[in-house]
Amino acid sequence: MFFRNTSDLFTIGTVPHPYTMTSLTHQTDSLTTRFIRRTTKRDEWLLAATKEFLGTGMSSFARIPHLKDAVASDYGSARSLWLTPENLSEENNAQLRRDLSWVLGFPVPTIESTLDNGRSETPVPGPERRPPAPKPEGKIPDPVELVREGTLLDKARLVLKGKGPRDSIPIRDAVEAWNLADTEVWRFVRAWNARRSVERRKWEDEEKGFAGTEGGKGSWSRWFDRD
């Protein structure tokens, strides 16, 4: 869980809300103010994400501008896509693919688009020619833990929308107050994604007459070479 500041990589980063981070880290949705203050660390996500390229001697608030540059500067936005896990869901997958295509400059394929369409393609290299898969960092969750994490994430989404139990709202506010830097980065990434989506839709509306339309809907197909 860290950001590697290098031009050799395209980064897809996930910035969780501190409430989500705390729930998943400690595998519980029964948070209390006492537990937050006595057990959890401040701004744990930001400190971990920037440790490699900023070291350990910088405060969490001093790290915020560096992370914002990685997200929204001309250099950073061309080499990264930052998401908030609370907005990742089945209904948002299409939106995510469009935003990712916007950043990369080419359409991201789906499972359906990669199925056999009768055309001859260059064979995929066999296992003996493929590079070895990268080794996972940290503990790999088992199936039971994955189910538990999904449940906790769904509950965190409700709390952040103000639809959780009545006593969860003060706890959410306490988590945000305990993790001011993490909360600032999360809000910044969410606002940046909203702005980029608006810009993409505006561009599509302006350019759909030139990009080619099918049935009144904009199509990317004529923007890309197809052999």
Side-chain angles (χ1 to χ4, degrees):
M1 186 181 67
F2 59 85
F3 169 58
R4 182 161 289 161
N5 189 22
T6 172
S7 60
D8 296 334
L9 299 174
F10 184 89
T11 299
I12 299 180
T14 305
V15 183
H17 186 276
Y19 185 96
T20 306
M21 178 77 175
T22 303
S23 296
L24 294 179
T25 300
H26 297 278
Q27 291 287 291
T28 180
D29 57 351
S30 301
L31 301 176
T32 64
T33 301
R34 179 183 177 88
F35 177 86
I36 293 166
R37 292 182 177 274
R38 296 287 183 89
T39 307
T40 68
K41 299 178 181 179
R42 291 179 182 266
D43 304 315
E44 189 172 5
W45 181 89
L46 182 59
L47 292 171
T50 58
K51 180 179 178 180
E52 181 175 284
F53 78 104
L54 292 179
T56 59
M58 185 181 292
S59 71
S60 56
F61 288 99
R63 296 168 187 267
I64 292 177
H66 297 275
L67 210 291
K68 286 184 176 180
D69 280 343
V71 174
S73 68
D74 291 340
Y75 177 89
S77 61
R79 293 167 173 80
S80 64
L81 177 66
W82 295 82
L83 310 168
T84 54
E86 297 81 13
N87 291 334
L88 299 179
S89 60
E90 290 296 330
E91 59 268 24
N92 288 338
N93 280 347
Q95 175 76 26
L96 174 59
R97 285 196 299 271
R98 287 193 293 270
D99 288 343
L100 186 55
S101 298
W102 170 263
V103 174
L104 296 176
F106 57 83
V108 176
T110 63
I111 295 178
E112 293 79 7
S113 67
T114 57
L115 295 177
D116 182 33
N117 55 12
R119 296 187 301 179
S120 176
E121 302 287 351
T122 302
V124 177
E128 71 282 354
R129 297 175 56 192
R130 297 175 191 169
K135 295 182 179 180
E137 298 176 2
K139 180 180 178 292
I140 301 176
D142 59 40
V144 175
E145 291 175 326
L146 288 175
V147 172
R148 173 64 175 165
E149 288 183 357
T151 301
L152 291 172
L153 180 56
D154 288 339
K155 291 183 177 180
R157 289 191 179 110
L158 293 176
V159 171
L160 297 183
K161 291 178 180 178
K163 299 180 179 180
R166 182 177 301 177
D167 59 352
S168 66
I169 306 304
I171 298 301
R172 180 200 63 189
D173 295 342
V175 173
E176 291 183 350
W178 189 248
N179 299 275
L180 291 175
D182 274 5
T183 302
E184 168 66 17
V185 173
W186 180 83
R187 289 175 175 168
F188 180 82
V189 169
R190 188 177 61 165
W192 175 254
N193 285 335
R195 173 184 171 181
R196 181 173 50 212
S197 294
V198 170
E199 291 177 347
R200 175 183 56 77
R201 289 194 296 268
K202 180 180 178 181
W203 181 86
E204 288 178 347
D205 288 340
E206 293 174 348
E207 299 295 326
K208 64 183 178 181
F210 302 97
T213 57
E214 299 174 6
K217 297 182 180 180
S219 170
W220 287 84
S221 61
R222 298 183 187 177
W223 279 90
F224 306 99
D225 293 333
R226 293 177 182 269
D227 297 330

